[in-house]
Amino acid sequence: MDLLPGRQNSIGMPNSVAQNDKEKRKQISVRGIALVENVATVKKTFNRHLHFTLVKDRNVATPRDYYFALAHTVRDHLVSRWIRTQQHYYDKDPKRVYYLSLEYYVGRSLTNTMVNLGIQSEVDEALYQIGLDIEDLEELEQDAGLGNGGLGRLAACFLDSMASLGLAAYGYGLRYDYGIFTQTIKNGWQVEEPDDWLRFGNPWEKSRPEYTLPVQFYGRTIREGGITKWVDSQIIFAMPYDSPVPGYGNNAVNTMRLWSAKAPTSFNLSFFNDGDYIQAVCDRNSAENITRVLYPNDNVTEGKDLRLKQEYFLCAATLQDIIRRFKASKFGCREAVRHDFSHLPDKVAIQLNDTHPALAIPELMRILIDLEGLTWEQAWKITTQTCAYTNHTLLPEALERWPVDRFGVILPRHLEIIYEINFRHLKEVEAKYPGDMDRIRRMSLIEEDGGKRINMGFLCVVGSHAVNGVAKIHSDLLKVTLFKDFYEMTPEKFQNKTNGITPRRWLLLCNPSLSDAIVDKIGNDWISDLSKLRQLEQFINNENFVRSIYKVKQENKMKLAQYIEQHYHVKIDPGAMFDMQVKRIHEYKRQLLNVLHVITLYNRIRRNPNHKCTPRVVMIGGKAAPGYHMAKKIIKLISNVAAVINNDPIVKDRLKLIFLENYRVSLAEKIIPAADLSEQISLAGTEASGTGNMKFMLNGALTVGTLDGANVEMAEEVGMENIFIFGMTVDEVEALRQKGYNPREFYEKNAELKLALDQIQGGFYSPEDPNLFHDIVDVLINKGDQ
């Protein structure tokens, strides 16, 4: 029997076809697996791992030892399901989805795994009987911070969703030794510290050294017998580490495979001849730098080289793995049994998460032509039918461009392939638009302005059969801005796939009290189908239900108030309105607009101390890229404004400003359930989608936002009466740009805005250095809204 109440023992019907989506999701049989579902067995397994895995007893075990014993206990429940799922995929040989992403912002796995397996209550009770608090142990888990923000978190949500749908899906990425940096705030400034997330080990991963694969760099190409060969290259090995991705309540466990760079086993013998053994060892270490850190700030050549190597390393290792799995199609057969690559698109779907894995396109071409002997035309047809591309940004500067000279040194064969792709692509453009040389120049994959560069976004569009944006407004804008020429030539490629979030982590896990209140009224089908939440509409006027929802929100706010006081030493009123903006610090995300609003509220209170207003606690969180000086200056401004407001006796509890240090997935799980207001205030036409907006709304926060990204569709879904929309539309923004935007006009006309900016300019918030924020004010008044 399954661990979830009311679920049947086996998945699917042994002698019949699954009839509906629900049955399809439950097609992995667990008959014969000894399910550890009672408290006594959990206790026994926990003690066994403490003794045999960690080699400790209760007298010397630390809290972290208890966490690891618990993690191994929970993982035990996964292992048989994991093996059965992979056996099922090999046996049935379905079409497999391969999601390629350089980022996976997974966060913590312990609670999510228990929720998806439905064993939370048994584990909770077992630990209680042992004398341990499960919440204390959950706090000891390191966040797997292998992403910078929304793109990486979306990838993690996708994996959860595909597993819960029972899709044969694999997430491929890199196993960085150091994830997104740990942010500390010192004297109001962001200071980056390395995120050594693996220092205590990772109980969820399983290394697979037997599947280690070689990846080539540098070298040169030669032609032999009509075949191009890549020779004299440097070899670095890619060793996979597999982590389980459990589906919700369906016994399916998919795999996230992350590659780690390993140096070749052989030493450079010339070093031994010179007696320089130490240099030989150091060279091995430098080879392993490829997966040392989540991709660096790439404004120097070394950084760019490393980033390019990371991207190719992921694509080369992953495609070898995909081809191996495609060839060995039948379960239990290690031999290459499938050689007809024309069927590859029927069995393989490769999804490129932004331009970072774009090199999968020329790499697949290289494998099919150079190694498998296909013609260019055959290989190109297979490649384009297999690959699809998700675009995540409208900002032209965010599309990756690689200088041809460096690219050719590191990946000589791929440069040849990209040139050939471009040559054939431009011939098609010329055939469709004869004599339009300007269009040919605009659509070339190789940009000539200021040095030759490869536009990886254009490569993705040309080499894929489908291109999607991540919100309706974003997808529509792609067609008239970034990829306008490409849309006019191949409109059938372009589509929209609005981003989403997994309700398992972002409601069931992080807000259990609200989940319980919902389940009491409409059952638990909504956990796999959020559209079922519409059933709650019948309880709008049910006083008991409304009161229970209000009580949940107040409890969440009290818990967060305790956390804030403990970690930030600021006492806040749980009865105040919690107003939150958490996302990467960037000018287009407009944390500055939020700060100007806070300063204005502060000035109003100072001007009229007896004025009655709703008490408000404004929380802003997010990390600035290490080389993004304006973003770091914005963090300093927020910190300085907070120091003034929070220590002003006139203000008391009516207004507080808090910068949430080191915003990450596990912190989001604490703050989102407590939010009253969700700030989604980017300039219309700049945010591709956003997913934080969905998480806040799912947990009952009112959205204050612009008609940007997914806000547009959220407004359509909930009705304009249930969301606060302000600011210009995309068309109005463009019209103002055409007319000529003069920000100084607004500054001169609005007295409150002028006062706020004058205070910042005059050093009111930086008396120790009155000129500190001059550049911020200069950008706002003279250069306009970024």
Side-chain angles (χ1 to χ4, degrees):
M1 120 183 185
D2 195 87
L3 290 179
L4 285 165
R7 302 280 189 179
Q8 57 191 21
N9 187 22
S10 64
I11 294 180
M13 294 161 280
N15 299 310
S16 63
V17 178
Q19 296 300 307
N20 54 40
D21 281 348
K22 205 169 202 177
E23 292 300 335
K24 279 183 195 167
R25 290 179 193 143
K26 303 195 73 202
Q27 54 191 333
I28 316 299
S29 169
V30 289
R31 274 195 296 271
I33 294 177
L35 294 181
V36 191
E37 61 191 359
N38 58 67
V39 174
T41 315
V42 171
K43 286 164 65 178
K44 184 178 174 185
T45 309
F46 178 87
N47 286 322
R48 178 170 59 80
H49 276 298
L50 190 64
H51 189 82
F52 289 104
T53 308
L54 295 160
V55 197
K56 293 277 185 85
D57 63 25
R58 294 291 298 274
N59 297 316
V60 295
T62 65
R64 182 161 274 105
D65 292 325
Y66 291 137
Y67 157 70
F68 273 99
L70 174 58
H72 284 293
T73 301
V74 172
R75 200 185 82 155
D76 282 359
H77 303 182
L78 279 174
V79 170
S80 295
R81 288 172 170 82
W82 198 4
I83 291 171
R84 287 273 175 103
T85 302
Q86 301 312 311
Q87 286 174 343
H88 178 81
Y89 293 159
Y90 270 97
D91 223 12
K92 302 299 181 194
D93 193 28
K95 184 172 184 176
R96 292 171 167 88
V97 179
Y98 295 101
Y99 196 79
L100 272 63
S101 178
L102 267 191
E103 299 186 27
Y104 288 97
Y105 212 159
V106 177
R108 294 171 174 169
S109 295
L110 176 61
T111 316
N112 187 67
T113 303
M114 292 191 294
V115 164
N116 281 6
L117 292 180
I119 59 171
Q120 215 170 0
S121 54
E122 290 95 327
V123 173
D124 202 354
E125 177 61 25
L127 290 180
Y128 173 76
Q129 291 182 14
I130 291 171
L132 297 169
D133 185 333
I134 192 167
E135 288 190 12
D136 291 343
L137 298 189
E138 287 168 346
E139 285 299 310
L140 290 169
E141 182 173 4
Q142 299 281 324
D143 275 52
L146 305 182
N148 288 291
L151 179 140
R153 184 53 235 168
L154 177 78
C157 279
F158 257 126
L159 296 190
D160 177 279
S161 182
M162 289 190 288
S164 296
L165 288 167
L167 296 174
Y170 302 76
Y172 278 95
L174 296 183
R175 181 181 179 267
Y176 304 105
D177 296 345
Y178 297 91
I180 179 71
F181 60 85
T182 299
Q183 178 195 57
T184 56
I185 303 298
K186 294 183 179 170
N187 299 320
W189 293 99
Q190 169 179 295
V191 177
E192 301 93 22
E193 294 177 353
D195 169 38
D196 192 4
W197 71 290
L198 291 169
R199 66 186 175 279
F200 298 112
N202 177 8
W204 303 104
E205 68 183 11
K206 174 70 184 80
S207 63
R208 302 284 193 192
E210 69 275 20
Y211 289 114
T212 297
L213 296 167
V215 176
Q216 294 174 271
F217 292 100
Y218 302 106
R220 59 192 175 89
T221 60
I222 58 170
R223 293 282 291 175
E224 269 184 13
I227 296 171
T228 302
K229 293 186 178 178
W230 185 4
V231 297
D232 299 336
S233 57
Q234 180 190 90
I235 301 290
I236 293 174
F237 286 110
M239 183 166 131
Y241 287 77
D242 290 353
S243 297
V245 183
Y248 176 73
N250 66 350
N251 299 318
V253 181
N254 283 344
T255 302
M256 177 176 70
R257 175 162 284 188
L258 303 179
W259 301 102
S260 181
K262 302 293 177 190
T265 47
S266 58
F267 280 111
N268 185 330
L269 290 177
S270 65
F271 283 129
F272 281 110
N273 297 338
D274 298 338
D276 198 346
Y277 170 77
I278 300 300
Q279 183 61 47
V281 175
C282 289
D283 275 11
R284 284 173 53 80
N285 287 342
S286 69
E288 296 178 0
N289 281 343
I290 288 178
T291 53
R292 192 76 68 205
V293 65
L294 177 65
Y295 39 85
N297 201 2
D298 59 357
N299 52 9
V300 291
T301 305
E302 286 70 33
K304 283 185 175 169
D305 282 3
L306 179 55
R307 174 90 169 250
L308 179 59
K309 285 180 179 176
Q310 285 183 342
E311 293 181 359
Y312 178 64
F313 186 78
L314 165 64
C315 295
T318 299
L319 277 161
Q320 287 182 71
D321 218 32
I322 291 171
I323 298 295
R324 173 190 62 79
R325 200 175 282 117
F326 170 75
K327 284 183 171 180
S329 60
K330 199 71 178 142
F331 163 62
C333 180
R334 290 293 178 88
E335 299 303 313
V337 292
R338 186 188 274 143
H339 296 288
D340 184 358
F341 280 90
S342 65
H343 294 302
L344 187 74
D346 302 327
K347 292 296 180 183
V348 172
I350 296 174
Q351 189 68 37
L352 310 176
N353 191 26
D354 215 1
T355 55
H356 311 138
L359 287 166
I361 292 166
E363 174 64 8
L364 182 53
M365 289 293 289
R366 185 185 74 84
I367 291 170
L368 294 176
I369 295 169
D370 296 356
L371 305 183
E372 300 296 339
L374 273 64
T375 66
W376 180 279
E377 289 73 18
Q378 290 170 327
W380 185 244
K381 184 180 178 186
I382 291 165
T383 298
T384 53
Q385 288 178 347
T386 303
C387 296
Y389 162 54
T390 299
N391 173 275
H392 282 272
T393 180
L394 285 162
L395 305 175
E397 64 272 18
L399 280 187
E400 290 184 300
R401 293 167 170 84
W402 292 113
V404 165
D405 53 353
R406 291 304 305 157
F407 191 98
V409 170
I410 296 170
L411 300 171
R413 177 59 180 141
H414 296 77
L415 183 60
E416 294 175 357
I417 291 170
I418 289 170
Y419 271 141
E420 183 66 22
I421 291 172
N422 194 42
F423 173 71
R424 291 170 182 250
H425 159 63
L426 292 182
K427 271 172 65 176
E428 288 179 16
V429 175
E430 191 175 11
K432 187 154 189 178
Y433 305 99
D436 192 344
M437 298 311 294
D438 194 47
R439 183 182 290 267
I440 290 171
R441 180 190 57 77
R442 292 196 311 265
M443 293 184 72
S444 174
L445 308 188
I446 313 296
E447 297 177 352
E448 307 277 353
D449 304 335
K452 286 189 176 181
R453 293 174 305 170
I454 305 167
N455 186 314
M456 303 307 277
F458 289 2
L459 174 63
C460 287
V461 174
V462 171
S464 299
H465 67 274
V467 177
N468 72 279
V470 288
K472 187 175 185 304
I473 187 174
H474 170 232
S475 298
D476 289 344
L477 286 169
L478 281 178
K479 297 171 188 176
V480 295
T481 56
L482 216 53
F483 299 137
K484 181 175 184 289
D485 293 320
F486 293 89
Y487 174 68
E488 288 171 358
M489 184 167 167
T490 52
E492 69 281 357
K493 279 189 181 186
F494 289 79
Q495 51 179 265
N496 175 57
K497 293 286 182 288
T498 300
N499 278 349
I501 58 174
T502 165
R504 270 78 60 186
R505 184 178 289 268
W506 297 113
L507 183 49
L508 191 63
L509 181 158
C510 73
N511 203 342
S513 300
L514 180 57
S515 302
D516 290 344
I518 295 170
V519 168
D520 282 347
K521 288 295 179 191
I522 63 169
N524 60 9
D525 283 353
W526 61 269
I527 299 168
S528 298
D529 181 3
L530 271 185
S531 66
K532 295 284 196 291
L533 288 180
R534 283 220 176 272
Q535 296 170 20
L536 289 174
E537 287 177 335
Q538 63 190 295
F539 302 107
I540 286 173
N541 298 315
N542 182 315
E543 202 175 308
N544 288 336
F545 180 64
V546 172
R547 195 182 297 118
S548 71
I549 297 294
Y550 176 76
K551 185 177 170 220
V552 166
K553 179 64 75 176
Q554 285 309 115
E555 286 172 356
N556 289 334
K557 290 173 72 173
M558 287 171 72
K559 278 170 71 175
L560 181 60
Q562 289 174 349
Y563 180 88
I564 295 289
E565 186 173 1
Q566 183 184 344
H567 289 84
Y568 299 94
H569 312 295
V570 178
K571 194 171 179 61
I572 60 175
D573 175 13
M577 184 162 59
F578 285 9
D579 179 348
M580 299 187 183
Q581 185 184 23
V582 285
K583 48 189 77 235
R584 279 187 303 119
I585 308 296
H586 200 290
E587 287 164 275
Y588 88 80
K589 292 179 184 285
R590 301 209 291 195
Q591 284 91 355
L592 271 176
L593 178 59
N594 200 352
V595 175
L596 290 172
H597 179 237
V598 172
I599 292 172
T600 302
L601 291 175
Y602 173 56
N603 287 334
R604 287 173 187 171
I605 294 171
R606 277 168 38 104
R607 191 166 57 244
N608 186 0
N610 298 319
H611 173 67
K612 286 196 172 176
C613 61
T614 303
R616 183 188 296 243
V617 179
V618 179
M619 303 181 204
I620 302 175
K623 295 177 181 179
Y628 190 178
H629 301 297
M630 179 58 77
K632 294 173 101 166
K633 189 71 72 78
I634 290 169
I635 292 175
K636 173 64 173 168
L637 176 62
I638 296 167
S639 302
N640 281 23
V641 172
V644 171
I645 293 174
N646 297 346
N647 293 300
D648 190 328
I650 296 172
V651 177
K652 300 194 174 95
D653 277 344
R654 284 178 287 181
L655 182 64
K656 297 281 187 203
L657 175 60
I658 293 161
F659 185 82
L660 298 166
E661 183 180 72
N662 199 34
Y663 180 63
R664 59 202 183 280
V665 174
S666 56
L667 182 55
E669 291 165 7
K670 290 182 176 67
I671 67 169
I672 288 172
D676 293 309
L677 283 184
S678 158
E679 302 265 3
Q680 310 297 333
I681 57 178
S682 54
L683 178 69
T686 55
E687 185 74 86
S689 169
T691 51
N693 45 11
M694 304 173 198
K695 293 161 194 166
F696 279 109
M697 187 170 273
L698 188 61
N699 284 274
L702 172 70
T703 299
V704 179
T706 52
L707 282 172
D708 197 23
N711 292 357
V712 178
E713 288 152 275
M714 285 166 54
E716 290 170 2
E717 195 71 27
V718 303
M720 292 298 281
E721 69 277 13
N722 293 312
I723 187 169
F724 185 83
I725 296 293
F726 75 98
M728 293 185 289
T729 63
V730 171
D731 291 340
E732 289 166 346
V733 169
E734 189 54 38
L736 182 57
R737 281 202 179 112
Q738 296 296 329
K739 178 183 155 194
Y741 173 48
N742 180 10
R744 188 170 284 277
E745 273 180 38
F746 296 88
Y747 166 74
E748 300 289 357
K749 285 180 187 171
N750 189 316
E752 288 190 309
L753 174 62
K754 187 173 190 303
L755 174 60
L757 287 168
D758 287 349
Q759 286 175 327
I760 297 170
Q761 174 96 358
F764 182 81
Y765 297 105
S766 55
E768 74 289 348
D769 181 1
N771 298 323
L772 183 61
F773 300 121
H774 276 199
D775 47 354
I776 289 181
V777 178
D778 178 55
V779 163
L780 287 175
I781 295 179
N782 298 317
K783 296 187 179 133
D785 197 333
Q786 300 292 307

